[in-house]
Amino acid sequence: MPIYEYTAKRGPGRPETGEIRAASEADALAALDADGYIPIRVQKRGVAAHGRRHGSISFHDITLFTRQMAGLLKAGVPMLQALATVSGQSSNARFGNVLENITQAIGNGSTFSAALSEYPRVFSPLYVSMVRAGESAGALDRILLRLAEEREKQDDRRRRVQAAVAYPALLLVVGAATVFVLLAFFMPRVAALFEGWGRLPLPTRILLAVSGWV
């Protein structure tokens, strides 16, 4: 079982660092939350921690952000401070910039949901609506926690589907490559054996024609 290194808070004290064994990052986050910790950073051991990647914002980035915000708000951390903490810990430079802009918008008087709605390609309308409902009900931390749990389940289902599709896809690629090699290199050599045989059966003629085309 892999080991995850974490930085987390428990109450108003300084962040603590440590290690935890878990089957996945989602399980590590859930275990820390069950122990009363507020996860700030969770990273699989052996993965480089320095530097930020500059790729697109992934489903996982938003899920981790949601889980972190839920924990910080539940612990009573102010919204702006929570956003600053999460944006500073983001491993995705592009997402970090988005979070910094959201922090600035809230500092200028915007609500959290309104700031999120400015980035429809990052936060879906359903996500924004759930956050807005949480703000109205005064239960934003609980709504974010529910969102995080649901997204973690979706992420787990996606990984299972990808794992299930990977093997058949590999077989398909290997099979196609094998057929191509047979038609392009093997069959032309075998075709010479059929010279002078007269009229060949239709399947054989089709196979030789396809091989000649390839």
Side-chain angles (χ1 to χ4, degrees):
M1 188 173 293
I3 298 176
Y4 289 84
E5 300 171 343
Y6 67 84
T7 302
K9 293 187 67 175
R10 178 182 281 178
R14 296 181 61 183
E16 301 178 20
T17 59
E19 297 178 347
I20 186 172
R21 290 184 178 272
S24 65
E25 185 171 323
D27 291 340
L29 288 167
L32 289 171
D33 185 65
D35 289 341
Y37 284 99
I38 305 165
I40 298 175
R41 181 187 67 86
V42 175
Q43 191 167 33
K44 192 175 183 179
R45 179 190 282 180
V47 177
H50 61 280
R52 282 183 166 190
R53 56 187 173 87
H54 294 267
S56 60
I57 300 171
S58 68
F59 186 91
H60 176 72
D61 289 328
I62 302 172
T63 301
L64 181 58
F65 159 76
T66 308
R67 167 68 73 171
Q68 291 173 322
M69 287 296 297
L72 291 170
L73 294 178
K74 181 180 179 181
V77 178
M79 172 66 72
L80 290 177
Q81 183 180 343
L83 280 169
T85 300
V86 175
S87 63
Q89 293 290 336
S90 176
S91 60
N92 187 318
R94 183 178 175 186
F95 191 39
N97 291 334
V98 169
L99 296 181
E100 289 172 3
N101 293 338
I102 291 174
T103 304
Q104 184 177 358
I106 294 175
N108 292 333
S110 175
T111 63
F112 186 37
S113 58
L116 295 179
S117 67
E118 295 296 320
Y119 299 91
R121 293 186 178 181
V122 180
F123 301 99
S124 67
L126 176 60
Y127 189 104
V128 175
S129 297
M130 292 288 289
V131 170
R132 185 178 295 114
E135 289 175 329
S136 301
L140 183 57
D141 58 334
R142 294 197 295 273
I143 292 296
L144 287 174
L145 181 59
R146 289 178 58 187
L147 273 171
E149 291 173 345
E150 182 57 35
R151 291 178 68 88
E152 286 163 0
K153 292 177 183 177
Q154 293 179 30
D155 205 17
D156 183 62
R157 287 194 292 267
R158 289 171 61 179
R159 286 197 299 269
R160 291 175 184 271
V161 170
Q162 290 172 353
V165 170
Y167 183 64
L170 177 62
L171 291 180
L172 179 63
V173 171
V174 172
T178 302
V179 170
F180 175 79
V181 170
L182 289 174
L183 292 176
F185 301 102
F186 179 73
M187 285 304 300
R189 298 180 180 181
V190 175
L193 300 177
F194 295 105
E195 294 179 359
W197 281 35
R199 186 173 179 82
L200 297 171
L202 180 61
T204 305
R205 283 183 280 140
I206 293 175
L207 181 60
L208 292 175
V210 172
S211 174
W213 178 79
V214 172

